[in-house]
Amino acid sequence: MISESNLRDLSREIWDVAIIGAGPAGGIAAALLAGHGCHVVLLEKSAWPRHKVCGGCLNATAVQTLRDAGLHDVLRGAVMLHEVAWHVAANSGGRALHVPLPGGAAIGRAELDAALVQMATARGCVFIPGVSAIVQNDDSALEYRTVRLQRQKQTSQLSARIVLVCDGIAGTSLAEHSW
């Protein structure tokens, strides 16, 4: 992880890929790209580790995708699922609905995200938690994109050939762009 004083040092490098958001999309992209030798920086606005309630259940396709990508180790703490059951309160008739979910897995979202980030950093990715990131330029004629970084009162920037924005539904990394 990058300390407060080293945040400014990021502007001295040109990154192959800057990834904004260390959730499943960002973590998987960082692990795969770093594993292929790209110079990758992964940026996350939240302090780390972060705890999220959402997510955690993966269907068989998601589990197989992780295996096919060589990321199956992130599922070590997962519980394999065979079905999902919904139960209605007894005063409403006490019914239950059972839906088959063969090949699925349940893993806490914090554990999944942490495992993906750990795999990405083991492959050479630089991980920076606790920093907000805003994509500055969108001129496709430019060779690099600029990302403004903000951590508390410190502002810095970095340049990357490619910026992947994986900051979720409520993300703000592209807020300064009209499109």
Side-chain angles (χ1 to χ4, degrees):
M1 288 193 247
I2 298 293
S3 70
E4 189 82 23
S5 61
N6 293 337
L7 194 57
R8 286 181 289 267
D9 295 339
L10 295 172
S11 64
R12 297 186 182 131
E13 300 183 54
I14 302 295
W15 299 85
D16 292 327
V17 184
I19 301 171
I20 302 171
I28 290 169
L32 292 175
L33 291 166
H36 285 290
C38 293
H39 186 50
V40 179
V41 60
L42 177 59
L43 309 163
E44 170 57 46
K45 70 178 177 183
S46 300
W48 202 260
R50 67 171 181 191
H51 299 282
K52 293 188 78 166
V53 177
C54 66
C57 285
L58 306 174
N59 64 24
T61 302
V63 170
Q64 190 60 47
T65 298
L66 288 170
R67 287 186 176 128
D68 292 346
L71 302 175
H72 57 279
D73 286 348
V74 301
L75 297 174
R76 280 191 187 157
V79 174
M80 297 313 289
L81 298 177
H82 304 286
E83 72 176 7
V84 175
W86 287 274
H87 295 270
V88 178
N91 61 0
S92 297
R95 295 182 180 177
L97 172 65
H98 295 265
V99 177
L101 193 63
I107 183 171
R109 177 64 188 275
E111 290 79 18
L112 177 62
D113 290 352
L116 287 167
V117 167
Q118 183 179 13
M119 185 167 284
T121 58
R123 293 177 174 191
C125 174
V126 173
F127 175 53
I128 306 170
V131 62
S132 63
I134 303 290
V135 179
Q136 296 295 286
N137 55 349
D138 63 351
D139 185 348
S140 61
L142 296 175
E143 188 174 353
Y144 306 108
R145 299 290 177 262
T146 302
V147 178
R148 184 179 71 232
L149 307 175
Q150 181 79 40
R151 180 186 278 160
Q152 296 168 354
K153 294 183 180 182
Q154 183 184 9
T155 301
S156 184
Q157 69 179 30
L158 62 79
S159 296
R161 290 177 178 85
I162 298 170
V163 177
L164 295 179
V165 178
C166 305
D167 62 353
I169 294 171
T172 59
S173 298
L174 295 170
E176 295 183 4
H177 300 281
S178 61
W179 42 266

